[in-house]
Amino acid sequence: MTHPFLDLAPLSAAHFAEIEDRVARLLSTEQDVVIMQGEALLPLEGAIRGTAGPGTTALNVITGPYGQTFGDWLRDCGATVIDLPVPFHTAVTAAQVREAFAAHPSIDFVSLVHAEAATGNTNPVAEIGEVVREHGALFYLDAVASIGAEPVLPDAWGVDLCVIGAQKAMGGPAGVSAVSVSERAWARMADNPAAPRRSYLSLLDWKQRWIDGGRKALLHAPAQLEMLALEACVERIEAEGPAAVMARHASAAAATRAGALALGGGLEPYVYEAADAAPVATTLRAPSGIDASELVARALAADPALPLAAGGGALAKEMIRVNHYGPDATRGVVRACLAALGSALGELGVAVDLEAAGRAVGDAWGAGA
């Protein structure tokens, strides 16, 4: 017996390199792009450990849980870390970053999450990139959630390390990820005696054994199925058109915000300003006196496939996430999620207006499309 998933010819180095090139085109970058054989935490950690050390002074922007993780990694590397925490219902500003540089002129590394799917906010990377460039710091960006949902332009924004994953707005696999690396970042790694070598975390190994060798021989057997799935999701984005894919996500976010407000019952957007809200996912604040986890459980009882989740950790009691990304960035999914939340609120004795929510979704989707 043969099986279409199991009995495949080995993925060649040339095919691997072709997929890297397609990802580079998606990012509009001339930087080296390395596809890492693991979930995005692999290049996220590898990039920090490769470029940060005891002589590093890092500005770590925290607009959600991933920013907190990056600060932990930076400290573990021996870096001096200046945290810039921002309330999760908003976004950081370029002015705040500029103030941090003024207070700490030694900053030479900036870590930032573009879009925080966990908290529903997105940060103005282009404006922040201008500030970072003015001070000559290395710019590290987590664009795992934002890629596919909004523009991600490492070259134009001066990003030195831009990490992406396919499992959210790209609608692809979680088992592979990618990072674009500038020449400055490669030089920082080469000068860092603590940069991982002969390690799964090592970007330098990929540089010296893969890129510098002309991408002729892979370091190890690739995750073939995940690589083919990544190629397929990039093909799908190319076929629909990146602008159309991003417009779909923007419409889903606008429709979810408008529909939640029209639904009533005390449900409201968690991120106050629409301009600060991420197109990849919308977070909502549960009505006063109602546990968000319980509300989501009730909403999912009728349809467990809906992309609804309660917030993580301390946010579980107050935050609801509508994960309208990838194939779920559609008007039908948004309507179904709001209808399920409305029905769950009704079961708890809260008055809602499902018809008004449906009209608001339609109106907002038309305006955002």
Side-chain angles (χ1 to χ4, degrees), residues 6-70:
L6 299 179
D7 302 304
L8 297 169
L11 186 73
S12 68
H15 194 176
F16 192 105
E18 288 173 5
I19 298 171
E20 285 184 332
D21 292 342
R22 295 180 85 158
V23 172
R25 288 194 293 273
L26 185 66
L27 291 168
S28 300
T29 185
E30 298 296 322
Q31 298 177 5
D32 290 325
V33 169
V34 178
I35 297 180
M36 302 290 281
Q37 303 299 283
E39 199 270 338
L41 282 173
L42 175 62
L44 285 169
E45 182 174 359
I48 281 180
R49 296 196 181 277
T51 53
T56 303
T57 301
L59 175 64
N60 180 49
V61 181
I62 301 175
T63 57
Y66 282 100
Q68 294 168 332
T69 297
F70 300 158

Side-chain angles (χ1 to χ4, degrees), residues 172-193:
V176 289
S177 47
V179 53
S180 66
V181 187
S182 73
E183 289 300 323
R184 291 198 324 145
W186 284 131
R188 179 81 70 99
M189 287 183 223
D191 291 339
N192 180 9

Side-chain angles (χ1 to χ4, degrees), residues 5 10 19 27 87 101 114 116 121 133 175 183 191 201 222 226 233 246 249 259 323 327 337 359:
F5 291 146
I19 298 171
L27 291 168
F101 273 106
H114 187 184
E116 288 269 13
N121 51 32
R133 279 198 302 272
E183 289 300 323
D191 291 339
L201 285 170
E226 286 80 3
C233 82
M246 289 186 280
H249 284 83
N323 296 317
C337 287
R359 288 194 300 272

Side-chain angles (χ1 to χ4, degrees), residues 325-343:
Y325 51 69
D328 287 329
T330 68
R331 192 179 339 216
V333 166
V334 170
R335 280 191 167 130
C337 287
L338 291 171
L341 289 171
S343 296

